[in-house]
Amino acid sequence: YKDMPSAKDYLYKYLQNLEPFDLSFEKFELFKNGTSCTLYLDPIISPANALDNLYSVVSKLYPQSIENNKNGENFSPHIGVGY
């Protein structure tokens, strides 16, 4: 791996052109996982498409890190805090 650029340097090259954005968390939400639920923080993002743009760039650079979406759902940014 000594020839591989650091992730920071590698990502910077592709992310430097993205516009800055604001991100805050003001409320908890729940979604069902079969027979259980996940508690998560729902982000407020400005501009609204900023995390979608970030996700698009990173998922192209690291496609192996993106979970297969079996239900055809769109990317839904959140921070899971409990099950």
Side-chain angles (χ1 to χ4, degrees), residues 1 17 21 31 44 49-50 57 59 62 67 74-75 77-78 81:
Y1 297 112
N17 295 323
F21 57 88
F31 65 82
I44 298 171
N49 66 343
V57 171
S59 65
Y62 296 101
E67 290 185 26
N74 293 327
F75 170 65
H78 65 279
V81 294

Side-chain angles (χ1 to χ4, degrees), residues 23-38:
L23 184 63
S24 62
F25 299 92
E26 295 181 3
K27 65 181 179 175
F28 288 95
E29 296 286 345
L30 288 172
F31 65 82
K32 287 195 170 214
N33 281 338
T35 59
S36 66
C37 291
T38 296

Side-chain angles (χ1 to χ4, degrees), residues 9-26:
D9 295 336
Y10 180 70
L11 287 171
Y12 180 79
K13 180 169 60 172
Y14 294 96
L15 300 179
Q16 68 181 338
N17 295 323
L18 292 179
E19 293 295 320
F21 57 88
D22 293 316
L23 184 63
S24 62
F25 299 92
E26 295 181 3

